[in-house]
Each structure stands twice: as structure tokens, then as C-alpha cells.
Amino acid sequence: MIVVERIAELRERCDLARRTGSTVGLVPTMGFFHDGHLSLMRAAHANHDLVVTTIFVNPLQFAESEDLDSYPRDLAADTAAAEAAGVDVLFTPSVPEMYPEPTVTTVHVAALTEGLCGATRPTHFDGVTTVVAKLFSIVGQCTAYFGRKDFQQLAVVRRMAADLDLPVEVVGCPLVREQDGVAMSSRNAYLSAEERERARGLFAGLRAAAATVENGERDPDPVRAVLESETARHGLELEYAEIRTAADLTPVAELDGEVVVAVAAPVGQARLIDNVTMQIAGAEVSVDLGVVTLATQGSTN
Ligand code: AMP
């Protein structure tokens, strides 16, 4: 594996790989790797000749009040973990390399960014789509792997790539959970033992909501009520609890087809998000709760 810091060098390596018949898999991240990140790299490694992972804590997607300065970082551990996961090129640009001038061009995806996390983080997705568009432009034709943990982000990036005819296939990968059900996140590092215990309430609430649907409920209001009461029982105050269509994140009047139940909650210094997706056809319900990791969080950093 080689570590690359310059845009021009990354572009050249990707162009050269394609000229010699190789396919390129891309995994954009903000680093501080856990098994969720590594699962994307392993998927890319299984399907592509050249795997590029990027680590860039993108200032554009953090609001003034957010945790840009304290965001956890550990480049040495990330480098070792990426290499073990089959990454060929680790791209770690500096902020001036990515933004040599103050940004005057941003990529904005409307509608999909308006509710859910966009409601409390109104500038967040513009920061994400702008940096991901830059990465797609630098890397060129490739398949890009994103986690379903950030369900809205995946939908937004997929739509951006389609609308702008970017030569990138966007692939969504399973949400990876800790053994106790908590969704893996770099921000879990902020949690005290007591907060960590409370964080388990998110998955407990989502599981209870899914069970309600499996038992035949198709009205979103009672499903949401179960989610809210179960998370409240764990001492959580939700930022949102929403049920949307999985494809375009529109609110649903009745549960049918593929839907996502998504939640966000502040827990101590962290803001945690989680979701489950369900495929509903008549009485048939298939619930996707994600996958449980074999590793323990912290073992890679
Ligand atoms: P981040 O470093 O948090 O920006 O995440 C980089 C990529 O890893 C994004 O595509 C995330 O959706 C994905 N990711 C983060 N946490 C998880 C998780 N627990 N399971 C699956 N993918 C994840």
C-alpha cells in the first residue's frame, strides 16, 4: 500500500490503472477506522484491482458549533488497518491540498437533504456532496462504496452521481454493529460508559419498531410511537424519528415497499444516528438490521 497526499498523484495512479485494464474501487472516509469502514474496504478489495481509500476530515461538512477540531484521528493505526483490509492507495490530503482557495463552488442536492439530518445540520450535506464530487472527479471512473449507516448520505451521493452523470457507480454496504447492537461510529469514542449504555437504546427502539411492523402494523404513527417510547425508556431524547421510503426518502402514509426507519439522538458529546430498513409486500416483512462485527471497537485504533 502506498500513502498519497497530492491530488495530481492520485489522479495519475487511477488513470494509469484504468489504462492497463484495472478497475478502481473507492472508499471515502474521515478516518479513525472501525469495522464499518473496513467492511467497505474489504468489499472494494473483493471486487476491484485497485482500491483507493481516502481519509479527509472535511471542514466544509462541519458547522461552527460542531466537532471538527476534536474529531478523533489516528493515522498510524488507520494506515495499518487499511493495508490489512486490502487497500492499495491511501489518500490523505491536507486541507490546503483539497481547498487551496476559499470555496466558492458547492454541490447542492435539493429535496433529499431537507429533512432528517438536514433539518438540524443545514449546511452538512453541501459539504459532503462538494467533497465527494471532488473525490469522484480526482479518482475518475470507479465504483464507490458507502455504508448504509449513513442512509441519507448514501441516497444523496447516489442521486448526485446520477444527476451529474459522474462515471461512478455508488454501492451501499451493510450497517455494521458492535456486539451489543450499537452502530459502529468514530464518534462512539466520545461516549462514557454510562452514555454507551444509553446509546444501546437506539437499536433497542429500532428493533421494537421493526417488530411492530412484523406483527402487522402498517400505519407509521404507532410504529414511530413504539420507537419513541422504547428509546425514552433508555433515557434518550431523540432529535428525530422518521419513517421514509428507502429510495427517495419521502414520508410514507402507509408502510409498503422498501422503507427506512431512521433516528438521531444526542448522547453526551456525540450525536448518534441509526436506522433499519424493511422490505414490505403485503403481510411479508423482511427486516435488515445490519450485521454484527466480530471485532471490538477500538481494536483497530
Ligand atoms: P465516516 O468516516 O464516518 O465519514 O464514514 C465513512 C464511510 O464509512 C461512510 O460511507 C459511512 O457510511 C461508512 N460507515 C461508517 N460507520 C459505518 C457502520 N457502522 N457500518 C457501515 N458503514 C459505516
Side-chain angles (χ1 to χ4, degrees):
M1 187 181 81
I2 54 158
V3 178
V4 170
E5 293 178 358
R6 308 309 296 250
I7 290 171
E9 185 183 346
L10 178 61
R11 195 190 292 277
E12 221 168 90
R13 285 184 180 275
C14 294
D15 285 346
L16 179 65
R18 278 185 299 267
R19 271 205 304 278
T20 54
S22 294
T23 63
V24 179
L26 170 66
V27 181
T29 81
M30 297 204 298
F32 207 65
F33 294 152
H34 50 67
D35 220 37
H37 296 115
L38 299 175
S39 69
L40 306 180
M41 297 172 212
R42 292 187 200 112
H45 179 63
N47 293 308
H48 302 284
D49 306 303
L50 184 81
V51 176
V52 177
T53 291
T54 69
I55 298 179
F56 183 60
V57 182
N58 173 33
L60 234 52
Q61 68 193 67
F62 289 77
E64 281 289 329
S65 58
E66 293 180 354
D67 56 344
L68 173 62
D69 293 335
S70 57
Y71 195 83
R73 299 162 210 243
D74 187 343
L75 188 55
D78 284 355
T79 304
E83 179 146 38
V87 172
D88 300 295
V89 178
L90 185 63
F91 181 53
T92 61
S94 65
V95 172
E97 177 70 5
M98 288 298 276
Y99 303 117
E101 307 265 2
T103 313
V104 291
T105 306
T106 50
V107 178
H108 175 69
V109 175
L112 285 168
T113 57
E114 273 151 30
L116 303 167
C117 293
T120 49
R121 306 185 77 191
T123 57
H124 171 69
F125 286 112
D126 284 3
V128 171
T129 43
T130 300
V131 80
V132 171
K134 282 167 71 76
L135 293 171
F136 285 3
S137 155
I138 295 163
V139 170
Q141 185 166 23
C142 67
T143 303
Y145 293 79
F146 288 83
R148 287 206 285 270
K149 152 95 183 334
D150 299 271
F151 200 87
Q152 187 175 18
Q153 170 174 277
L154 171 62
V156 167
V157 167
R158 186 174 267 149
R159 183 60 189 262
M160 172 191 77
D163 282 358
L164 299 180
D165 297 305
L166 303 178
V168 178
E169 186 193 349
V170 176
V171 170
C173 295
L175 188 162
V176 180
R177 299 185 180 281
E178 297 278 359
Q179 274 141 19
D180 65 359
V182 173
M184 294 191 110
S185 165
S186 304
R187 289 187 168 103
N188 290 350
Y190 298 149
L191 301 175
S192 69
E194 179 274 320
E195 289 160 353
R196 175 60 208 239
E197 192 58 34
R198 234 180 323 139
R200 296 168 67 164
L202 284 180
F203 185 49
L206 290 168
R207 251 193 347 229
T212 314
V213 179
E214 284 177 311
N215 289 334
E217 187 57 73
R218 296 292 180 269
D219 180 345
D221 290 338
V223 177
R224 202 178 298 112
V226 166
L227 176 53
E228 283 166 352
S229 68
E230 185 64 17
T231 48
R233 214 170 60 75
H234 282 80
L236 292 171
E237 228 172 274
L238 297 183
E239 179 189 300
Y240 67 72
E242 300 254 10
I243 303 175
R244 303 284 184 103
T245 61
D248 55 12
L249 305 181
T250 49
V252 296
E254 192 198 11
L255 279 85
D256 188 29
E258 201 188 354
V259 300
V260 59
V261 184
V263 281
V267 183
Q269 297 300 303
R271 176 183 174 279
L272 303 182
I273 59 172
D274 201 344
N275 69 80
V276 298
T277 51
M278 287 180 254
Q279 184 73 51
I280 302 157
E284 292 293 305
V285 181
S286 152
V287 179
D288 180 358
L289 297 170
V291 297
V292 176
T293 181
L294 295 174
T296 34
Q297 180 130 37
S299 62
T300 58
N301 52 47

